[in-house]
Amino acid sequence: MPERSDYIKILKKMKLDKIIGGCMAVLLLLGGGYVGISQFEPDESDRNYQLIEESMEVSLDEPVSGSETDNQSDNQEGAPPFQVNAKAAILMDAGTGEVLYKFNENEELPPASVTKVMTMLLALEAVEEGKVTLNDEVRISENAAGMGGSQMYMEPGEVHTLEELMKGIAMVSANDGCVAVAEYLAGSVEIFVENMNSRAEELGMEHTHFVNTNGLPADNHYSSAKDIAIMSRELLKHTEGHDWFTTWQDTVNVGLPGKETEFGLTNTNKLIKQYQGAIGLKTGFTSDAGYCLSGAAQREDTKLIAVVLGCETSNIRLQEISKLLDYGFANYETVKIAENGEIMGEFESIKGSPEKVSAVTESDIQLLVKKGNKDSITHEVTIYDDIKIPLEKGDKMGELIIKQGENEIQRYDLVAEEDVKKAGIFKVMKRLIEKTGD
């Protein structure tokens, strides 16, 4: 190991070199030379001297920690061993919302036709709320028929069911269908876009702003990979749309009465043909946005959502989505604990009517775990013994406790399946007598 005197000699040489280099830089600058200042930055040997100089501040008998190599190792801990050829990407578990991979996931980028995920979501939520039905007839306006880009080539005045328009949006990315749906649901495109932005805010989409319903290029129209995954996860909850997302080819009649022609629908999402378990979801492309895709797939109980934005080609888009999904399915699996509304216990009170009430879950309950850890997941049910009567449907009655080994992971509320009123005095007395008789 070099003696301390050796380090001092190196430091002296370093300082002399820097003095000489500095003088040369000043002379060149004063002489009006064209050499850039950046060329006088320390070279690799100067940086080595700097490391030696810094190391002198600690005891030479102790190892120096926090090196560049150590930091790289810490930053990469738990990260998947691959990169995605896109401007931004994310992999999310559809069941829990857990993010399994992310890259520039919050960068605000043009989403192109992936915008239509939100358009379809608002339409299916309106169906679920009973505001409209998929059999409703929608008249096509001149505004809708005048949309360019991907379309169903509909004429002003022709009529289609809401389901036909949704199928066109999902399969061939119909811009005219988006405008027709927006006008039908909200009265105008402008109001519908306001609703899109309001819903995005409700879902916690912090890096999204919509200007139109279809993703055609527009100033201040942007989203992020994470936000797209969030709204895609919400859309997948509506099973009515799953057939549209996964159908490769279909037809629809377009044109005014007496002039109808059969229009072929071929899905723009090649993932559904080429990836095992693919269930959608939506492609997008403009010259500004590049090739984008929100893709989803399900194998057994595990459902994953992958998003890539800004890919250079359609093939790269498909390749990178497949890479993300492959990583998820290879490394994770889902443990299903309970389904929405499943009975997990009951509470009995002689003062209640009815006397017994079931405690049920408020949603599907599942857990994503690393492959091989599935058997370590258990659950316990706790029903409170001090429940007050009357009881309303949805009131908390207990908890479902999820554990991995001996460690508690999460708790979920268990709620009353129905209303429980106070029983009349005579019914209570009768129950007491019956129990005493037993």
Side-chain angles (χ1 to χ4, degrees):
M1 180 176 180
E3 297 293 331
R4 191 178 188 92
S5 59
D6 294 328
Y7 285 110
I8 294 172
K9 289 178 182 179
I10 294 173
L11 290 174
K12 286 181 177 179
K13 182 181 183 302
M14 178 197 71
K15 292 176 182 177
L16 180 60
D17 288 348
K18 287 189 174 180
I19 292 170
I20 294 171
C23 292
M24 290 176 65
V26 172
L27 288 172
L28 283 170
L29 289 171
L30 291 174
Y34 294 100
V35 180
I37 293 175
S38 62
Q39 294 190 32
F40 290 96
E41 292 177 353
D43 60 16
E44 190 62 33
S45 60
D46 285 332
R47 285 194 287 271
N48 290 336
Y49 295 151
Q50 185 177 3
L51 288 174
I52 294 172
E53 188 174 32
E54 290 173 352
S55 71
M56 295 289 287
E57 297 176 1
V58 299
S59 171
L60 295 175
D61 296 329
E62 296 177 1
V64 179
S65 61
S67 67
E68 184 177 346
T69 304
D70 291 336
N71 289 334
Q72 287 179 347
S73 177
D74 290 341
N75 291 336
Q76 294 173 0
E77 184 177 356
F82 62 87
Q83 293 181 335
V84 174
N85 187 7
K87 290 183 179 178
I90 197 169
L91 176 65
M92 178 182 287
D93 174 45
T96 63
E98 183 178 349
V99 174
L100 308 179
Y101 178 97
K102 57 186 179 181
F103 169 67
N104 289 343
E105 74 280 6
N106 291 321
E107 185 173 349
E108 296 171 354
L109 296 166
S113 286
V114 183
T115 298
K116 291 163 183 155
V117 169
M118 180 60 80
T119 302
M120 292 187 287
L121 173 61
L122 292 189
L124 289 178
E125 287 181 339
V127 171
E128 183 180 45
E129 293 164 6
K131 296 177 179 178
V132 296
T133 73
L134 290 174
N135 294 322
D136 286 3
E137 293 186 339
V138 181
R139 186 171 297 275
I140 308 304
S141 69
E142 288 191 17
N143 185 36
M147 286 291 105
S150 302
Q151 54 185 302
M152 294 168 65
Y153 300 95
M154 297 179 289
E155 297 288 338
E158 68 177 273
V159 176
H160 290 276
T161 65
L162 180 59
E163 182 169 14
E164 287 175 333
L165 296 176
M166 293 291 287
K167 188 182 296 184
I169 295 169
M171 293 183 64
V172 298
S173 201
N175 295 326
D176 46 2
C178 287
V179 173
V181 168
E183 291 175 338
Y184 180 69
L185 293 178
S188 74
V189 171
E190 292 76 16
I191 295 174
F192 189 83
V193 171
E194 288 181 8
N195 296 340
M196 292 170 70
N197 286 315
S198 295
R199 189 68 177 108
E201 186 176 352
E202 291 172 359
L203 291 172
M205 297 166 59
E206 299 178 350
H207 299 279
T208 294
H209 184 263
F210 297 115
V211 173
N212 57 47
T213 64
N214 42 38
L216 287 171
D219 291 340
N220 207 32
H221 185 96
Y222 57 83
S223 190
S224 68
K226 182 178 180 181
D227 286 357
I228 289 170
I230 290 171
M231 66 179 180
S232 298
R233 182 185 177 217
E234 203 67 23
L235 180 59
L236 284 174
K237 295 177 182 178
H238 297 271
T239 56
E240 306 98 314
H242 287 194
D243 284 344
W244 314 328
F245 305 143
T246 56
T247 298
W248 180 244
Q249 289 185 323
D250 204 343
T251 60
V252 61
N253 290 327
V254 297
L256 293 169
K259 299 180 180 179
E260 298 98 332
T261 58
E262 190 176 81
F263 180 71
L265 303 173
T266 299
N267 205 311
T268 60
N269 185 8
K270 295 180 181 178
L271 188 73
I272 63 172
K273 284 196 72 177
Q274 300 182 20
Y275 194 84
Q276 178 190 349
I279 54 175
L281 196 58
K282 189 69 196 76
T283 59
F285 169 77
T286 65
S287 57
D288 288 339
Y291 290 86
C292 308
L293 175 59
S294 175
Q298 181 169 0
R299 295 181 185 175
E300 297 181 350
D301 293 329
T302 304
K303 187 185 299 182
L304 301 175
I305 298 166
V307 178
V308 291
L309 300 178
C311 294
E312 293 183 358
T313 68
S314 176
N315 286 337
I316 290 175
R317 173 176 67 185
L318 186 62
Q319 171 186 306
E320 300 308 285
I321 279 282
S322 300
K323 183 192 298 183
L324 286 166
L325 293 171
D326 283 347
Y327 169 76
F329 287 121
N331 290 279
Y332 297 91
E333 59 184 334
T334 298
V335 182
K336 292 192 73 173
I337 309 295
E339 295 183 353
N340 182 24
E342 185 172 336
I343 297 173
M344 304 303 293
E346 65 178 20
F347 176 76
E348 181 176 355
S349 172
I350 59 172
K351 298 179 181 180
S353 179
E355 188 175 1
K356 295 180 180 180
V357 60
S358 296
V360 299
T361 57
E362 295 182 289
S363 62
D364 291 341
I365 297 176
Q366 56 192 37
L367 194 68
L368 192 75
V369 298
K370 284 288 189 72
K371 280 282 184 74
N373 291 335
K374 194 171 185 177
D375 292 339
S376 66
I377 304 300
T378 59
H379 67 273
E380 300 175 359
V381 173
T382 299
I383 304 297
Y384 303 144
D385 55 11
D386 58 349
I387 297 174
K388 306 295 184 184
I389 305 296
L391 192 65
E392 292 186 1
K393 179 180 179 180
D395 283 350
K396 187 174 178 179
M397 293 179 57
E399 292 179 308
L400 179 66
I401 304 167
I402 313 298
K403 291 186 174 182
Q404 184 167 19
E406 297 298 321
N407 299 320
E408 180 180 322
I409 299 175
Q410 208 159 353
R411 291 181 176 234
Y412 294 90
D413 290 346
L414 298 176
V415 300
E417 185 179 32
E418 58 184 329
D419 293 342
V420 180
K421 299 179 180 179
K422 285 186 176 181
I425 184 65
F426 293 108
K427 183 174 287 188
V428 172
M429 291 177 63
K430 181 181 178 182
R431 289 172 180 171
L432 285 171
I433 292 169
E434 289 174 349
K435 290 182 180 298
T436 302
D438 292 341

